[in-house]
Amino acid sequence: MTDQDLEQIKQILSGALAAKPSGGQLEEGPRQRMLANIKSRVGAHAPSGTQTIKSTDMQWEPFAEGIERSCLVPDQGDGTETCIYRLQPGAKFVNHAHTHQETCWVVSGDILVGDHPVQAGDMHIAEVGYEHPEIVARTESTLLIRSQVYTGPLMPG
């Protein structure tokens, strides 16, 4: 969120808080509680021991033709990463083997793993050592994948 966005929000809220409600002036006590509630929600931090990654803070990078990704949880020393991938129709992941178990949740769209269809809401799991066939996006798709750290170049191929 930019400083300009925050200033716009401030102006809107200031105007709303200063406006007279239909029954007359809003009393100071309720007005102050409303303002405190808004401030606490706008500036709220994730509970201790947790982390929230805002969609507006995700850093997207090209991965392959028709595919971009944002790594949400980089390698924490276990050789895995959790990334979200956005695929255009026809985009492909080449066949590849796994040094770690890979879990792929299809958030939206549908893909083919070889000739096996996997659609929104489905989870596809590849075990260690498995080499699955090419994955093709049949529609615009979003995938959340936890897998071994990709160490190749961006835009492989």
Side-chain angles (χ1 to χ4, degrees):
M1 188 172 290
T2 67
D3 288 341
Q4 185 177 10
D5 294 331
L6 292 173
E7 186 58 35
Q8 269 188 310
I9 291 169
K10 181 180 172 184
Q11 289 174 3
I12 291 167
L13 291 174
S14 293
L17 288 170
K20 289 185 179 180
S22 59
Q25 184 67 27
L26 185 63
E27 292 180 19
E28 189 61 22
R31 183 177 180 277
Q32 289 302 320
R33 283 193 301 278
M34 184 188 311
L35 185 56
N37 189 12
I38 291 168
K39 285 180 182 178
S40 72
R41 291 175 187 265
V42 169
H45 296 285
S48 179
T50 70
Q51 179 183 7
T52 298
I53 301 167
K54 299 286 190 181
S55 60
T56 54
D57 294 335
M58 290 182 188
Q59 301 296 311
W60 292 93
E61 60 189 8
F63 182 75
E65 187 174 337
I67 303 173
E68 61 181 353
R69 76 176 187 165
S70 179
C71 279
L72 305 173
V73 182
D75 184 10
Q76 302 291 303
D78 65 353
T80 66
E81 63 188 3
T82 302
C83 301
I84 192 163
Y85 293 82
R86 296 191 296 207
L87 291 75
Q88 296 301 311
K92 300 175 184 177
F93 287 104
V94 297
N95 60 318
H96 56 278
H98 296 276
T99 58
H100 293 72
Q101 183 185 67
E102 177 181 273
T103 55
C104 171
W105 179 49
V106 180
V107 177
S108 66
D110 65 285
I111 61 174
L112 286 174
V113 180
D115 61 0
H116 176 68
V118 185
Q119 59 190 12
D122 293 347
M123 175 77 74
H124 181 74
I125 301 169
E127 297 298 336
V128 173
Y130 175 74
E131 184 172 330
H132 60 67
E134 183 176 75
I135 298 172
V136 179
R138 295 180 358 163
T139 63
E140 187 174 296
S141 302
T142 302
L143 313 176
L144 179 65
I145 301 177
R146 182 177 182 272
S147 66
Q148 68 219 22
V149 173
Y150 178 75
T151 57
L154 292 181
M155 296 296 287

